[in-house]
Amino acid sequence: GKIMFEIDKEKCIHCGLCVKDCSPKALQFNDEKIPVIDEKKCFKCQHCLAVCPVGAISVCGKHPENSDRIYSQDPEMILNLIKSRRSVRHYKQENLSPDKMQKLKDMLKYVPTGVNFHKLHFAFIDDIEVMNEFRDYVNQKIKDALTVKPVKAVAKKLSRYTKSFLDGQDILFRGAPHMVVVSTPVNAPCANVDPFIALSYFELYANSMNVGTCWCGLVEFCLMIMPELSEYLNIPEGYKASYVMLFGEPDIKFARTIQPEPFEIQSVQKGKFKKLGFADKIKRYFWNWK
């Protein structure tokens, strides 16, 4: 689409914040100290619209009067949300309210992506009847792969859960009424990280509305080995189904945060860069690229 960069010269105070914060250096002052744009460099991040203190900039057909104001956040409340987030594996067998579902969908357009490559795809199963159809199909295919025509890769992936699965427990979907699958173009600049950033934002926002969530690697594995699932979910051609999150109204309530052991955190000090030997280089390459 077109950039449609517009400046309200009556409002512009020539502060230069838009020029300063333009990452691709698409904005520069002209002789009248009015910002002008090189459209070839612009990647439509809208930072200029967001940073302008007087609302003088419109871009990409977006106007400042349609933006929300920014409120101060309570760090302790946000930290409590992070601390209290738990994976939910017990759900009420009912659809999420349309209001909550729409809010979750609307939020996703704000998630950050590398190089502002705004082409993620989200496939929502927002009706429990559709979810049950999807669940029944996948569970039957996995059961066949464990019993009728055993598949080693499936048996290995489900080795911890095989008995429970064959006993009829919904190990894959945890009884969740809903699911979202995030996909990204295979040529996206940050294809390996954008989907996980998006689902992290989704999860925290969902938890703020008391909607339970669960990261689901087992269903992501099913998407890899059953290409018909991507067709069912209407995932576009040229897109990779990257990860899955289950969600719905929780049928369990946590009373307090857990008390996890800390990760190792290292404060880096000034020092000399060491010249690595061949063996040490190979080890680092292996770890970094594995």
Side-chain angles (χ1 to χ4, degrees):
K2 295 182 179 180
I3 303 301
M4 295 182 287
F5 182 80
E6 299 175 7
I7 289 280
D8 186 331
K9 294 182 180 180
E10 298 297 319
K11 289 183 178 179
C12 180
I13 58 174
H14 319 289
C15 65
L17 287 175
C18 58
V19 174
K20 178 180 179 179
D21 200 51
C22 183
S23 178
K25 305 301 180 185
L27 289 180
Q28 299 293 334
F29 277 134
N30 64 12
D31 293 339
E32 299 174 6
K33 211 174 181 184
I34 296 293
V36 294
I37 193 166
D38 181 344
E39 293 196 1
K40 293 181 180 178
K41 292 182 179 179
C42 177
F43 56 49
K44 305 177 184 178
C45 67
Q46 299 183 40
H47 272 222
C48 53
L49 177 146
V51 79
C52 180
V54 294
I57 295 177
S58 298
V59 66
C60 303
K62 314 297 183 183
H63 304 282
E65 59 268 23
N66 297 324
S67 293
D68 294 336
R69 59 171 291 194
I70 296 176
Y71 299 92
S72 296
Q73 305 297 326
D74 184 339
E76 291 304 315
M77 292 293 289
I78 293 176
L79 180 59
N80 182 261
L81 176 62
I82 294 170
K83 286 181 176 181
S84 59
R85 182 223 64 86
R86 302 258 57 81
S87 293
V88 170
R89 299 180 179 86
H90 303 278
Y91 295 91
K92 294 179 181 178
Q93 296 306 297
E94 62 188 42
N95 282 330
L96 206 61
S97 73
D99 179 61
K100 283 186 177 180
M101 186 68 73
Q102 193 58 50
K103 285 181 177 179
L104 286 169
K105 292 178 180 179
D106 289 343
M107 179 279 302
L108 289 169
K109 62 188 174 186
Y110 294 99
V111 301
T113 55
V115 203
N116 201 42
F117 194 79
H118 215 70
K119 294 184 179 179
L120 290 175
H121 180 273
F122 298 92
F124 273 80
I125 295 186
D126 49 19
D127 187 318
I128 193 170
E129 291 186 11
V130 178
M131 187 68 184
N132 287 336
E133 178 180 70
F134 190 87
R135 185 194 333 265
D136 291 345
Y137 178 87
V138 174
N139 281 341
Q140 186 58 53
K141 292 281 285 189
I142 292 296
K143 184 177 180 180
D144 291 345
L146 290 173
T147 56
V148 181
K149 294 181 179 179
V151 178
K152 287 185 178 180
V154 175
K156 182 179 179 181
K157 189 72 175 179
L158 289 174
S159 59
R160 291 172 54 195
Y161 312 104
T162 300
K163 184 180 185 303
S164 298
F165 180 86
L166 295 177
D167 285 345
Q169 294 185 34
D170 187 14
I171 295 299
L172 300 181
F173 298 94
R174 304 294 182 178
H178 304 299
M179 182 178 85
V180 57
V181 179
V182 58
S183 306
T184 185
V186 294
N187 64 342
C190 300
N192 292 334
V193 296
D194 285 346
F196 297 98
I197 293 172
L199 288 180
S200 295
Y201 275 61
F202 178 91
E203 178 182 49
L204 286 177
Y205 185 53
N207 276 257
S208 77
M209 293 193 292
N210 296 315
V211 175
T213 58
C214 187
W215 296 82
C216 194
L218 291 176
V219 177
E220 183 254 348
F221 171 72
C222 293
L223 289 171
M224 291 172 60
I225 64 172
M226 301 179 200
E228 69 271 26
L229 300 184
S230 293
E231 292 294 322
Y232 182 95
L233 294 166
N234 297 314
I235 294 172
E237 291 187 6
Y239 275 65
K240 170 184 168 56
S242 299
Y243 217 79
V244 178
M245 183 162 282
L246 308 171
F247 68 100
E249 289 288 352
D251 197 27
I252 191 170
K253 184 177 182 179
F254 295 98
R256 61 194 57 81
T257 68
I258 63 167
Q259 301 173 41
E261 296 299 320
F263 294 111
E264 183 177 348
I265 298 175
Q266 178 74 51
S267 294
V268 179
Q269 306 297 318
K270 289 180 68 176
K272 295 181 179 180
F273 287 93
K274 297 178 181 178
K275 187 174 183 179
L276 297 180
F278 178 76
D280 288 332
K281 281 186 176 181
I282 292 299
K283 285 191 293 185
R284 286 295 175 186
Y285 281 132
F286 176 77
W287 294 327
N288 288 342
W289 289 92
K290 185 171 175 61

